[in-house]
């Protein structure tokens, strides 16, 4: 377990002290893939570097399995760092060493026997799918391959924790997917605790089980990914999510004024969110059956998965006699799903069906 | 050309090589570690010790700012202390070495500074000690660049060694002055110039080649 308590980090800069982290507390359980998301300059890198003490917090404690790293001397820190692998956005491979030598590097540092090194490096290269590249230099590899070498190197000393600082930010979307898959496989096979720093909600959604949103050196929100996705509490979180979830209305409704009260010839718009089991329920069908007086139009729909849990979103418009519309809206709110009233909107006059 | 002159040329060339090679070796043995210290003891580096760093940088700058011809004469007592005499080829090596040390230190410093800090961080994250970082990260990563820089130092030393004639150091440069200039032998002057050019080209070529082969970037 990684436990950060009341971490503060102040950088002394020419223009005065800069508070990069302001009282950050986080608990990361064993086996978590814990995402930390924030905008540029939010303090993500500073935070993750506090976990292995590449950056010493100005105050607060960093505990790993109950041992406080802030109280350790350099020698103890070097020992514990062997238990914490780290990968970087810029890969940080030795350009003068081959793939094999890069992966062997941590083992060489701890004076491991060459025979054992060879076995270990071979199996790691196999794990990351780079065996044929053993003799090549990093400059001969693609970005994705370089990060695989970075991962193999980080795993060489059998760490229990893997820190990833923007590990996929320099990669294209497809390569990002393959690296994330590899990280998840490692998390499952080797029971590694993974901490992922990113500014992309997609990465969090694809691989993390828990997430912390950091904003200007403060943790704005934490929780399970599905919870934070479906019930974001903070504006900054909603902003990150909105990048992923386009819920654009059809052009006939776009840019129309939204009224909280019924309007003449208006549609009542509702945003429905289905999570897990209820994603399969035929709610719309029942809505129409039980409320014969109304028209229901589906304006937007999207089905996705977060953490293998089906997650559907829909925007519907209801039109009809006011009493029936209100009843339908009430009925929806009683169902096993999240129904959120957006408001009453008119179609564009010039819009055609 | 008479065989006398031939012998003279070979002897002078031998003296030049002797002076340059030995002083280069000794200066490297001292200058490279100093260059490493210049980088690693600076602020926020792995062996941070800013007071030491400032003093070292000060001394290095001071020695570098002394023109070689003056340095040679100024340290005569020291030279006598070290090699027992203040004239001759061996004596000339002392000022050559002293002049080369700060030169090398600065060049090595520049090379090592080019190693991205991310590599040091990666090594730190793997639990490397400062000594391991120097040995396994800084030196191998900067090696190609260090070789290029040292090539420049060697060429500088070949030039400086010509001045060593003033204290009886001998060598190609000395031959050029004594025969070519003072005894009005333009043929010898020409030959010494050609030899110097070839020597410098050769050093540059070999240096470039090794640096190129070592560079995996
Ligand atoms: N060594 C340093 N000295 C001074 N200020 C620093 C230092 N490192 C980071 N900062 C400052 O601390 C703040 C947080 O930086 P940090 O690198 O943690 O942000 P980040 O969230 O990782 O951003 P990015 O997404 O751009 O990497 C920034 O304002 C940054 O300028
Ligand atoms: Mg960062």
């Amino acid at each position: 377990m990684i436990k950060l308590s009341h971490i503060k980090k102040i950088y002394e800069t020419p223009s005065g002290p800069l508070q990069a982290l302001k009282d950050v507390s986080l608990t990361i359980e064993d086996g978590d893939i814990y995402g930390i998301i924030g905008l540029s300059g939010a303090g993500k890198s500073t935070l993750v570097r506090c976990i292995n003490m590449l950056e010493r917090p100005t105050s607060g404690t960093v505990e790993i399995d109950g041992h406080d790293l802030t109280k350790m001397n350099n020698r103890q820190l070097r020992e514990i760092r062997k238990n914490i692998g780290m990968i970087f956005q810029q890969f940080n491979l030795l350009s003068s060493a081959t793939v094999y030598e890069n992966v062997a590097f941590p083992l060489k540092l701890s004076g491991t026997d060459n025979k054992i090194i060879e076995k270990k490096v071979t199996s790691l290269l196999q794990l990351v799918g780079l065996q044929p590249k053993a003799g090549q230099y990093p400059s001969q590899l693609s970005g994705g391959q370089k990060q695989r070498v970075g991962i193999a190197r980080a795993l060489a000393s059998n760490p229990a924790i893997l820190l990833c600082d923007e590990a996929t930010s320099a990669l294209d979307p497809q390569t990002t997917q393959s690296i994330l898959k590899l990280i998840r496989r490692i998390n499952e096979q080797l029971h590694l605790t993974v901490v992922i720093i990113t500014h992309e909600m997609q990465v969090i959604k694809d691989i993390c089980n828990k997430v912390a949103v950091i904003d200007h050196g403060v943790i704005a929100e934490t929780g399970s990914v599905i919870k934070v996705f479906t019930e974001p509490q903070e504006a900054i979180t909603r902003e990150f999510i909105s990048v992923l979830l386009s819920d654009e209305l059809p052009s006939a409704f776009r840019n129309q004024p939204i009224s909280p009260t019924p309007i003449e010839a208006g549609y009542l718009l509702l945003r429905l969110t289905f999570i897990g089991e209820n994603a399969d329920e035929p709610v719309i069908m029942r809505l129409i059956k039980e409320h014969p007086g109304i028209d229901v139009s589906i304006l937007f729909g999207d089905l996705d998965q977060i953490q293998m849990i089906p997650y559907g979103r829909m925007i519907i418009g209801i039109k009809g006699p006011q009493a029936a519309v209100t009843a339908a809206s009430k009925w929806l709110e009683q169902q096993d799903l999240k129904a959120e009233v957006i408001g009453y909107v008119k179609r564009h006059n010039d819009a055609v069906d | 050309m008479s065989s006398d002159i031939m012998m003279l040329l070979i002897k002078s060339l031998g003296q030049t090589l002797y002076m340059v090679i030995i002083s280069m070796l000794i200066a490297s043995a001292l200058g490279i570690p100093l260059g490493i210290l210049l980088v690693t003891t600076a602020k926020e580096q792995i062996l941070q010790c800013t007071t030491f760093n400032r003093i070292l940088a000060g001394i290095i700058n001071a020695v570098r700012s002394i023109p070689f011809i003056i340095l040679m004469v100024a340290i005569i007592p020291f030279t006598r202390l070290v090699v027992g005499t203040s004239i001759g080829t061996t004596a000339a090596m002392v000022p050559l070495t002293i002049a080369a040390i700060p030169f090398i230190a600065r060049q090595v410093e520049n090379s090592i500074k080019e190693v991205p800090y991310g590599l040091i961080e990666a090594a730190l994250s793997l639990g490397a000690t400062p000594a391991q970082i120097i040995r396994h990260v800084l030196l191998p990563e900067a090696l190609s660049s260090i070789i290029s820089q040292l090539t420049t130092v060697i060429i500088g030393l070949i030039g400086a060694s010509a001045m060593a004639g003033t204290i009886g150091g001998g060598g190609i440069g000395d031959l050029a002055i004594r025969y070519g200039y003072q005894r009005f032998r333009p043929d010898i002057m020409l030959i010494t110039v050609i030899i110097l050019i070839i020597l410098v080209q050769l050093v540059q070529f070999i240096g470039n080649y090794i640096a190129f082969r070592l560079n995996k970037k």
Side-chain angles (χ1 to χ4, degrees), chain A residues 11 13 18 20 39-47 55 166 199, chain B residues 44:
Chain A
Y11 288 113
T13 66
L18 187 151
L39 298 171
S40 185
K44 308 180 294 288
S45 297
T46 307
L47 181 59
E55 207 70 78
E166 304 269 5
H199 59 266
Chain B
E44 312 213 316

Side-chain angles (χ1 to χ4, degrees), chain A residues 49 52 54 78 81-82 84 86 88 92-97 105-106 108-110 137 139 153-154, chain B residues 116-119 121-130 132-133 136-137 140-141 214-217:
Chain A
R49 292 150 50 83
N52 63 358
L54 280 182
R78 283 199 289 270
R81 277 180 187 151
K82 294 183 179 167
I84 312 172
M86 186 164 188
F88 306 85
N92 293 344
L93 302 178
L94 296 173
S95 69
S96 57
F105 180 52
K108 227 162 95 185
L109 291 180
S110 48
Y137 287 90
S139 61
R153 176 176 72 178
Chain B
Y117 192 72
L119 294 190
E121 273 196 340
L124 284 174
S125 79
L126 295 167
T129 63
Q132 286 175 322
I133 292 176
H136 296 290
V137 179
E141 287 294 305
L214 287 173
N215 189 359
K216 307 293 183 190
K217 279 192 196 120

Side-chain angles (χ1 to χ4, degrees), chain B residues 20 150-160 199-201 203-204:
Chain B
V20 170
L150 291 188
T151 306
T152 313
V153 179
I154 294 175
I155 290 169
L157 273 183
I158 293 174
L199 193 59
V200 167
Q201 295 289 346
V203 168
Q204 188 70 63

Side-chain angles (χ1 to χ4, degrees), chain B residues 76-88:
Chain B
I76 282 178
F78 176 72
T79 305
R80 196 174 288 138
L81 191 76
V82 177
V83 294
T85 170
S86 61
I87 46 171

